Amino acid sequence: EVQLVESGGGLVQPGGSLSLSCAATGFTFSDYAMSWVRQAPGKGLEWVSAISGSGAISYYADSVKGRFTISRDNAKNTVYLQLNSLKTEDTAMYYCRKGKNYYGKDARTAWDNAWGQGTQVTVSS
């Protein structure tokens, strides 16, 4: 059974930083791309970033490009998202998602059915 456990969210002022983690179990982690997605109150799901199975290739939504960095440690079965220069519009529940294959480009739009509990990021002064 695929399990995803997100952590690291919190309350931060605009311009601040946070580091999110997602620990994964139940599958061969390095065989699959991983993504981060988010959902703001009253809004739909937004894809944020994806990374290939090896970690060599990453993709970002235009809204976070240059501010967020995705990475992964396959030895620890963990994917990370570093959030810098945070804006109020980054406020959302953040989830990691397991891609359907190795390729990060596919993990921009297609994911496995598994969901973690998410981690809340609130950007406010």
Side-chain angles (χ1 to χ4, degrees), residues 73-125:
D73 185 337
N74 286 346
K76 295 182 178 180
N77 287 4
T78 301
V79 60
Y80 306 96
L81 188 68
Q82 178 66 37
L83 290 64
N84 296 331
S85 303
L86 281 160
K87 304 176 181 180
T88 55
E89 52 262 44
D90 294 318
T91 295
M93 184 72 79
Y94 284 71
Y95 301 91
C96 67
R97 302 295 305 276
K98 171 181 172 284
K100 292 194 171 185
N101 58 38
Y102 179 88
Y103 302 102
K105 61 181 177 66
D106 295 336
R108 294 175 296 179
T109 56
W111 311 287
D112 210 2
N113 291 330
W115 287 87
Q117 83 288 352
T119 188
Q120 177 68 40
V121 171
T122 302
V123 185
S124 175
S125 55

Side-chain angles (χ1 to χ4, degrees), residues 16-84:
S17 297
L18 282 174
S19 182
L20 308 184
S21 299
C22 170
T25 59
F27 62 101
T28 303
F29 187 68
S30 58
D31 284 352
Y32 291 91
M34 296 293 293
S35 272
W36 286 93
V37 301
R38 66 186 181 184
Q39 187 160 25
K43 295 190 177 181
L45 196 67
E46 179 188 13
W47 168 76
V48 174
S49 184
I51 189 166
S52 65
S54 68
I57 302 174
S58 55
Y59 300 86
Y60 298 92
D62 287 344
S63 58
V64 306
K65 200 172 293 183
R67 301 188 298 119
F68 291 8
T69 303
I70 192 170
S71 62
R72 65 190 294 162
D73 185 337
N74 286 346
K76 295 182 178 180
N77 287 4
T78 301
V79 60
Y80 306 96
L81 188 68
Q82 178 66 37
L83 290 64
N84 296 331

